[in-house]
Amino acid sequence: MASLRMIDIAVNFTDGMFKGVYHGKNCHLPDIATVLNRAWSAGVDRIIVTGGSLEESREALAIAETDARLFCTVGVHPTRCSEFEESGDPEKHYQDLFSLANEGMQKGKVVAIGECGLDYDRLQFCPVDIQKKYFEKQFELAYATKLPMFLHMRAAAADFCEILERNKNRFTGGVAHSFTGSALDRDKLLSFDNMYIGVNGCSLKTAENLDVMKGIPVERMMIETDSPYCEIKNTHAGMKFVKSTWPSKKKEKYDQECIVKGRNEPCLVRQVLEVVAGYKGLGDINQLGSTLYHNTCRVFFPQDLDSAADALLSGHHNTN
């Protein structure tokens, strides 16, 4: 199964479900190691663990340090941007994020600033003005660290793209992950030449979602699970293109040989790839996988592309 090489750009390993806790109830032991083994066997060879607050970013870095194939982001999710002011000292909070990002970069683990952006679907958690203020502030982090950005845009395309336009020279590149917007939103994002779009199960729910996804050039796309959320469900329009499946059991009947029913995990990024290939009518899934892998390296692992190019060049020199 593992001839494909895939990078899952969004996994929420700090979520309680990977500790066996669902809605406050403990159902099984922590099982990240088991989940990772399934991912590696499926052809995933790198995972980016998402940080969504200062504390969560610390935890994401600690998780990333447990395996050479794990990396992470440092940043504050739009629904949690109130933490800057609730800390009592927003500037110190920013400096703490900056210090953490630097520490993680030195360890070779932090590959992006984020998850940051705007989310107008959940304003009950953080008002618009605070979201906008601290989305903009995190471009300072990207500029200071020279890291790309891992971005979240939900029901906020106009304001999001306006802030992006204002700051487009302050970050090297980025991905708008878990994209569920319209064709117009897609085209606005694609008008920024350093932006990519991340696709997961939530991007493939409806026929309209699939049509919007079809219009994302493969050279500007990345794939993700956003696990434990955003799985491809039987009711989703994209499901008919899924070829790979894993046995599953309910969390109450936990079995480490099975995925937990209703909990997404990184091995299932393969299904996202299959839906993209199927709906776009691309017969060669390996070629698609290779393009998406290259896109991801270009933004988050540029040193790999440099090494590959050097190896290629030295190979040419050796044959002359």
Side-chain angles (χ1 to χ4, degrees), residues 152-193:
H152 176 106
M153 180 183 88
R154 189 75 74 241
D159 285 355
F160 181 95
C161 289
E162 183 186 310
I163 291 172
L164 210 56
E165 177 65 37
R166 237 187 345 261
N167 292 279
K168 66 183 179 187
N169 297 319
R170 306 189 77 200
F171 70 109
T172 57
V175 61
H177 102 104
S178 193
F179 181 75
T180 57
S182 66
L184 190 62
D185 296 345
R186 172 199 69 203
D187 294 343
K188 276 184 184 170
L189 288 172
L190 292 172
S191 72
F192 296 93
D193 59 11

Tab-separated table of all heavy atoms in Angstrom, residues 152-193:
chain	number	residue	atom	x	y	z
A	152	HIS	N	-6.253	29.804	8.421
A	152	HIS	CA	-7.638	29.351	8.609
A	152	HIS	C	-8.563	30.463	8.124
A	152	HIS	O	-8.473	31.598	8.593
A	152	HIS	CB	-7.852	29.086	10.112
A	152	HIS	CG	-9.256	28.712	10.487
A	152	HIS	ND1	-9.621	27.425	10.817
A	152	HIS	CD2	-10.391	29.467	10.613
A	152	HIS	CE1	-10.913	27.401	11.125
A	152	HIS	NE2	-11.394	28.632	11.011
A	153	MET	N	-9.436	30.139	7.170
A	153	MET	CA	-10.384	31.127	6.647
A	153	MET	C	-11.769	30.504	6.617
A	153	MET	O	-12.019	29.573	5.863
A	153	MET	CB	-9.971	31.550	5.228
A	153	MET	CG	-10.894	32.585	4.605
A	153	MET	SD	-10.408	32.995	2.903
A	153	MET	CE	-11.311	31.756	1.978
A	154	ARG	N	-12.675	31.016	7.470
A	154	ARG	CA	-14.021	30.456	7.506
A	154	ARG	C	-15.041	31.597	7.485
A	154	ARG	O	-15.078	32.423	8.402
A	154	ARG	CB	-14.204	29.609	8.781
A	154	ARG	CG	-15.475	28.813	8.831
A	154	ARG	CD	-15.455	27.594	7.920
A	154	ARG	NE	-14.630	26.528	8.440
A	154	ARG	CZ	-13.563	26.043	7.803
A	154	ARG	NH1	-13.168	26.558	6.657
A	154	ARG	NH2	-12.872	25.043	8.312
A	155	ALA	N	-15.821	31.669	6.401
A	155	ALA	CA	-16.892	32.675	6.253
A	155	ALA	C	-16.362	34.103	6.427
A	155	ALA	O	-17.027	34.967	6.982
A	155	ALA	CB	-18.028	32.408	7.253
A	156	ALA	N	-15.134	34.323	5.961
A	156	ALA	CA	-14.485	35.625	6.190
A	156	ALA	C	-13.566	36.022	5.030
A	156	ALA	O	-12.591	36.743	5.225
A	156	ALA	CB	-13.676	35.552	7.488
A	157	ALA	N	-13.894	35.571	3.834
A	157	ALA	CA	-12.949	35.698	2.708
A	157	ALA	C	-12.556	37.148	2.417
A	157	ALA	O	-11.377	37.429	2.157
A	157	ALA	CB	-13.527	35.049	1.455
A	158	ALA	N	-13.513	38.068	2.452
A	158	ALA	CA	-13.207	39.462	2.077
A	158	ALA	C	-12.180	40.071	3.037
A	158	ALA	O	-11.150	40.599	2.596
A	158	ALA	CB	-14.485	40.295	2.047
A	159	ASP	N	-12.442	39.983	4.342
A	159	ASP	CA	-11.510	40.550	5.332
A	159	ASP	C	-10.186	39.796	5.328
A	159	ASP	O	-9.109	40.388	5.448
A	159	ASP	CB	-12.124	40.501	6.738
A	159	ASP	CG	-13.199	41.564	6.945
A	159	ASP	OD1	-13.392	42.398	6.030
A	159	ASP	OD2	-13.853	41.550	8.009
A	160	PHE	N	-10.261	38.472	5.202
A	160	PHE	CA	-9.060	37.634	5.189
A	160	PHE	C	-8.141	38.059	4.043
A	160	PHE	O	-6.940	38.286	4.234
A	160	PHE	CB	-9.482	36.166	5.032
A	160	PHE	CG	-8.355	35.172	5.036
A	160	PHE	CD1	-7.989	34.517	6.204
A	160	PHE	CD2	-7.668	34.866	3.863
A	160	PHE	CE1	-6.961	33.575	6.204
A	160	PHE	CE2	-6.637	33.933	3.853
A	160	PHE	CZ	-6.281	33.286	5.031
A	161	CYS	N	-8.709	38.182	2.841
A	161	CYS	CA	-7.884	38.507	1.669
A	161	CYS	C	-7.380	39.949	1.715
A	161	CYS	O	-6.290	40.239	1.214
A	161	CYS	CB	-8.658	38.235	0.382
A	161	CYS	SG	-8.874	36.460	0.085
A	162	GLU	N	-8.150	40.825	2.352
A	162	GLU	CA	-7.697	42.215	2.513
A	162	GLU	C	-6.454	42.269	3.417
A	162	GLU	O	-5.473	42.959	3.125
A	162	GLU	CB	-8.834	43.053	3.116
A	162	GLU	CG	-8.510	44.530	3.254
A	162	GLU	CD	-9.618	45.279	3.991
A	162	GLU	OE1	-10.795	45.121	3.608
A	162	GLU	OE2	-9.296	46.008	4.959
A	163	ILE	N	-6.481	41.506	4.509
A	163	ILE	CA	-5.329	41.455	5.423
A	163	ILE	C	-4.150	40.757	4.744
A	163	ILE	O	-2.996	41.188	4.871
A	163	ILE	CB	-5.729	40.767	6.751
A	163	ILE	CG1	-6.697	41.671	7.528
A	163	ILE	CG2	-4.499	40.450	7.604
A	163	ILE	CD1	-7.328	41.037	8.754
A	164	LEU	N	-4.451	39.712	3.984
A	164	LEU	CA	-3.409	38.998	3.243
A	164	LEU	C	-2.730	39.937	2.236
A	164	LEU	O	-1.499	39.976	2.137
A	164	LEU	CB	-4.044	37.813	2.510
A	164	LEU	CG	-3.210	36.571	2.259
A	164	LEU	CD1	-2.641	36.003	3.557
A	164	LEU	CD2	-4.050	35.505	1.548
A	165	GLU	N	-3.534	40.707	1.537
A	165	GLU	CA	-3.003	41.655	0.538
A	165	GLU	C	-2.069	42.667	1.187
A	165	GLU	O	-1.002	42.970	0.673
A	165	GLU	CB	-4.183	42.367	-0.149
A	165	GLU	CG	-3.789	43.443	-1.154
A	165	GLU	CD	-3.049	42.900	-2.364
A	165	GLU	OE1	-3.383	41.785	-2.830
A	165	GLU	OE2	-2.118	43.582	-2.843
A	166	ARG	N	-2.484	43.151	2.357
A	166	ARG	CA	-1.684	44.154	3.071
A	166	ARG	C	-0.349	43.587	3.531
A	166	ARG	O	0.629	44.321	3.680
A	166	ARG	CB	-2.473	44.629	4.292
A	166	ARG	CG	-2.698	46.099	4.303
A	166	ARG	CD	-3.305	46.711	5.514
A	166	ARG	NE	-3.955	45.933	6.527
A	166	ARG	CZ	-5.279	45.767	6.627
A	166	ARG	NH1	-6.094	46.271	5.717
A	166	ARG	NH2	-5.785	45.079	7.617
A	167	ASN	N	-0.333	42.282	3.762
A	167	ASN	CA	0.859	41.653	4.355
A	167	ASN	C	1.561	40.676	3.414
A	167	ASN	O	2.421	39.905	3.851
A	167	ASN	CB	0.454	40.918	5.640
A	167	ASN	CG	0.030	41.858	6.746
A	167	ASN	OD1	0.864	42.428	7.441
A	167	ASN	ND2	-1.274	42.054	6.897
A	168	LYS	N	1.216	40.719	2.133
A	168	LYS	CA	1.686	39.654	1.227
A	168	LYS	C	3.206	39.614	1.072
A	168	LYS	O	3.756	38.579	0.707
A	168	LYS	CB	1.010	39.766	-0.144
A	168	LYS	CG	1.360	41.008	-0.935
A	168	LYS	CD	0.580	41.036	-2.244
A	168	LYS	CE	0.893	42.283	-3.039
A	168	LYS	NZ	0.031	42.398	-4.219
A	169	ASN	N	3.869	40.717	1.390
A	169	ASN	CA	5.334	40.721	1.289
A	169	ASN	C	6.016	40.406	2.621
A	169	ASN	O	7.233	40.487	2.732
A	169	ASN	CB	5.820	42.074	0.762
A	169	ASN	CG	5.307	42.331	-0.641
A	169	ASN	OD1	5.289	41.424	-1.469
A	169	ASN	ND2	4.852	43.547	-0.906
A	170	ARG	N	5.207	40.042	3.610
A	170	ARG	CA	5.769	39.799	4.943
A	170	ARG	C	5.848	38.309	5.282
A	170	ARG	O	6.265	37.946	6.366
A	170	ARG	CB	4.933	40.515	6.011
A	170	ARG	CG	4.770	42.006	5.711
A	170	ARG	CD	4.151	42.743	6.860
A	170	ARG	NE	5.119	42.975	7.915
A	170	ARG	CZ	4.799	43.245	9.175
A	170	ARG	NH1	3.530	43.308	9.520
A	170	ARG	NH2	5.733	43.453	10.082
A	171	PHE	N	5.431	37.460	4.336
A	171	PHE	CA	5.554	36.020	4.600
A	171	PHE	C	5.952	35.304	3.310
A	171	PHE	O	5.638	35.746	2.213
A	171	PHE	CB	4.268	35.440	5.201
A	171	PHE	CG	3.084	35.361	4.265
A	171	PHE	CD1	2.646	34.136	3.792
A	171	PHE	CD2	2.402	36.509	3.875
A	171	PHE	CE1	1.552	34.056	2.944
A	171	PHE	CE2	1.303	36.438	3.029
A	171	PHE	CZ	0.875	35.204	2.564
A	172	THR	N	6.655	34.199	3.475
A	172	THR	CA	7.264	33.520	2.323
A	172	THR	C	6.252	32.735	1.505
A	172	THR	O	6.419	32.551	0.308
A	172	THR	CB	8.364	32.546	2.802
A	172	THR	OG1	7.769	31.622	3.735
A	172	THR	CG2	9.491	33.292	3.500
A	173	GLY	N	5.207	32.256	2.142
A	173	GLY	CA	4.196	31.450	1.469
A	173	GLY	C	3.264	30.892	2.512
A	173	GLY	O	3.480	31.082	3.712
A	174	GLY	N	2.219	30.231	2.067
A	174	GLY	CA	1.293	29.685	3.053
A	174	GLY	C	0.222	28.824	2.427
A	174	GLY	O	0.118	28.712	1.207
A	175	VAL	N	-0.576	28.229	3.313
A	175	VAL	CA	-1.700	27.408	2.873
A	175	VAL	C	-2.942	27.826	3.656
A	175	VAL	O	-2.875	28.039	4.867
A	175	VAL	CB	-1.411	25.902	3.068
A	175	VAL	CG1	-1.166	25.547	4.541
A	175	VAL	CG2	-2.526	25.030	2.500
A	176	ALA	N	-4.061	28.000	2.927
A	176	ALA	CA	-5.357	28.181	3.574
A	176	ALA	C	-5.914	26.772	3.745
A	176	ALA	O	-6.340	26.142	2.773
A	176	ALA	CB	-6.271	29.038	2.718
A	177	HIS	N	-5.855	26.264	4.972
A	177	HIS	CA	-6.142	24.836	5.158
A	177	HIS	C	-7.624	24.606	5.387
A	177	HIS	O	-8.391	25.528	5.623
A	177	HIS	CB	-5.261	24.295	6.300
A	177	HIS	CG	-5.970	24.133	7.594
A	177	HIS	ND1	-6.361	22.908	8.073
A	177	HIS	CD2	-6.375	25.036	8.512
A	177	HIS	CE1	-6.963	23.058	9.244
A	177	HIS	NE2	-6.983	24.336	9.527
A	178	SER	N	-8.042	23.347	5.251
A	178	SER	CA	-9.428	22.934	5.492
A	178	SER	C	-10.402	23.825	4.722
A	178	SER	O	-11.388	24.310	5.256
A	178	SER	CB	-9.736	22.990	7.002
A	178	SER	OG	-10.940	22.317	7.295
A	179	PHE	N	-10.126	24.011	3.444
A	179	PHE	CA	-10.882	24.970	2.638
A	179	PHE	C	-12.295	24.465	2.354
A	179	PHE	O	-12.489	23.353	1.869
A	179	PHE	CB	-10.146	25.232	1.323
A	179	PHE	CG	-10.856	26.231	0.443
A	179	PHE	CD1	-10.815	27.583	0.744
A	179	PHE	CD2	-11.583	25.807	-0.664
A	179	PHE	CE1	-11.487	28.509	-0.045
A	179	PHE	CE2	-12.257	26.737	-1.467
A	179	PHE	CZ	-12.204	28.076	-1.149
A	180	THR	N	-13.289	25.310	2.652
A	180	THR	CA	-14.689	24.963	2.388
A	180	THR	C	-15.421	26.114	1.692
A	180	THR	O	-16.642	26.155	1.677
A	180	THR	CB	-15.442	24.627	3.696
A	180	THR	OG1	-15.334	25.752	4.582
A	180	THR	CG2	-14.878	23.396	4.370
A	181	GLY	N	-14.666	27.049	1.117
A	181	GLY	CA	-15.267	28.253	0.548
A	181	GLY	C	-15.845	28.056	-0.843
A	181	GLY	O	-15.884	26.953	-1.393
A	182	SER	N	-16.272	29.178	-1.416
A	182	SER	CA	-16.888	29.194	-2.739
A	182	SER	C	-15.824	29.236	-3.835
A	182	SER	O	-14.628	29.404	-3.559
A	182	SER	CB	-17.779	30.433	-2.864
A	182	SER	OG	-16.950	31.602	-2.832
A	183	ALA	N	-16.286	29.147	-5.084
A	183	ALA	CA	-15.368	29.283	-6.222
A	183	ALA	C	-14.720	30.666	-6.208
A	183	ALA	O	-13.538	30.821	-6.532
A	183	ALA	CB	-16.114	29.045	-7.527
A	184	LEU	N	-15.489	31.675	-5.807
A	184	LEU	CA	-14.957	33.037	-5.730
A	184	LEU	C	-13.872	33.134	-4.651
A	184	LEU	O	-12.805	33.729	-4.874
A	184	LEU	CB	-16.102	34.017	-5.428
A	184	LEU	CG	-15.791	35.507	-5.537
A	184	LEU	CD1	-15.386	35.877	-6.962
A	184	LEU	CD2	-17.004	36.332	-5.109
A	185	ASP	N	-14.136	32.527	-3.491
A	185	ASP	CA	-13.137	32.502	-2.409
A	185	ASP	C	-11.866	31.808	-2.891
A	185	ASP	O	-10.750	32.273	-2.634
A	185	ASP	CB	-13.668	31.736	-1.191
A	185	ASP	CG	-14.878	32.396	-0.547
A	185	ASP	OD1	-15.141	33.576	-0.841
A	185	ASP	OD2	-15.573	31.715	0.237
A	186	ARG	N	-12.045	30.676	-3.554
A	186	ARG	CA	-10.904	29.917	-4.098
A	186	ARG	C	-10.068	30.800	-5.014
A	186	ARG	O	-8.833	30.861	-4.898
A	186	ARG	CB	-11.440	28.705	-4.871
A	186	ARG	CG	-10.402	27.916	-5.655
A	186	ARG	CD	-11.072	27.054	-6.723
A	186	ARG	NE	-11.646	27.869	-7.789
A	186	ARG	CZ	-12.637	27.484	-8.592
A	186	ARG	NH1	-13.187	26.285	-8.445
A	186	ARG	NH2	-13.087	28.300	-9.535
A	187	ASP	N	-10.744	31.501	-5.923
A	187	ASP	CA	-10.014	32.298	-6.914
A	187	ASP	C	-9.323	33.497	-6.278
A	187	ASP	O	-8.239	33.900	-6.712
A	187	ASP	CB	-10.955	32.736	-8.041
A	187	ASP	CG	-11.451	31.540	-8.853
A	187	ASP	OD1	-10.829	30.458	-8.746
A	187	ASP	OD2	-12.452	31.670	-9.572
A	188	LYS	N	-9.931	34.047	-5.226
A	188	LYS	CA	-9.274	35.141	-4.491
A	188	LYS	C	-7.963	34.640	-3.878
A	188	LYS	O	-6.933	35.305	-3.946
A	188	LYS	CB	-10.187	35.657	-3.366
A	188	LYS	CG	-11.211	36.689	-3.797
A	188	LYS	CD	-11.968	37.179	-2.566
A	188	LYS	CE	-13.080	38.144	-2.928
A	188	LYS	NZ	-13.940	38.423	-1.762
A	189	LEU	N	-8.012	33.458	-3.255
A	189	LEU	CA	-6.805	32.893	-2.645
A	189	LEU	C	-5.744	32.602	-3.701
A	189	LEU	O	-4.559	32.878	-3.511
A	189	LEU	CB	-7.142	31.603	-1.881
A	189	LEU	CG	-7.920	31.774	-0.577
A	189	LEU	CD1	-8.351	30.424	-0.037
A	189	LEU	CD2	-7.091	32.517	0.468
A	190	LEU	N	-6.166	32.054	-4.824
A	190	LEU	CA	-5.218	31.681	-5.878
A	190	LEU	C	-4.601	32.902	-6.554
A	190	LEU	O	-3.573	32.787	-7.222
A	190	LEU	CB	-5.904	30.786	-6.921
A	190	LEU	CG	-6.306	29.390	-6.417
A	190	LEU	CD1	-7.145	28.668	-7.469
A	190	LEU	CD2	-5.079	28.557	-6.048
A	191	SER	N	-5.207	34.075	-6.346
A	191	SER	CA	-4.633	35.294	-6.932
A	191	SER	C	-3.349	35.713	-6.214
A	191	SER	O	-2.581	36.522	-6.724
A	191	SER	CB	-5.648	36.446	-6.905
A	191	SER	OG	-5.840	36.927	-5.578
A	192	PHE	N	-3.124	35.147	-5.018
A	192	PHE	CA	-1.853	35.367	-4.306
A	192	PHE	C	-0.896	34.260	-4.743
A	192	PHE	O	-1.143	33.084	-4.476
A	192	PHE	CB	-2.058	35.311	-2.787
A	192	PHE	CG	-2.942	36.406	-2.257
A	192	PHE	CD1	-4.306	36.200	-2.106
A	192	PHE	CD2	-2.415	37.640	-1.922
A	192	PHE	CE1	-5.130	37.206	-1.623
A	192	PHE	CE2	-3.229	38.660	-1.438
A	192	PHE	CZ	-4.590	38.443	-1.298
A	193	ASP	N	0.193	34.636	-5.394
A	193	ASP	CA	1.013	33.594	-6.020
A	193	ASP	C	1.796	32.742	-5.024
A	193	ASP	O	2.360	31.718	-5.404
A	193	ASP	CB	1.943	34.173	-7.093
A	193	ASP	CG	2.903	35.226	-6.546
A	193	ASP	OD1	2.990	35.361	-5.308
A	193	ASP	OD2	3.560	35.905	-7.349
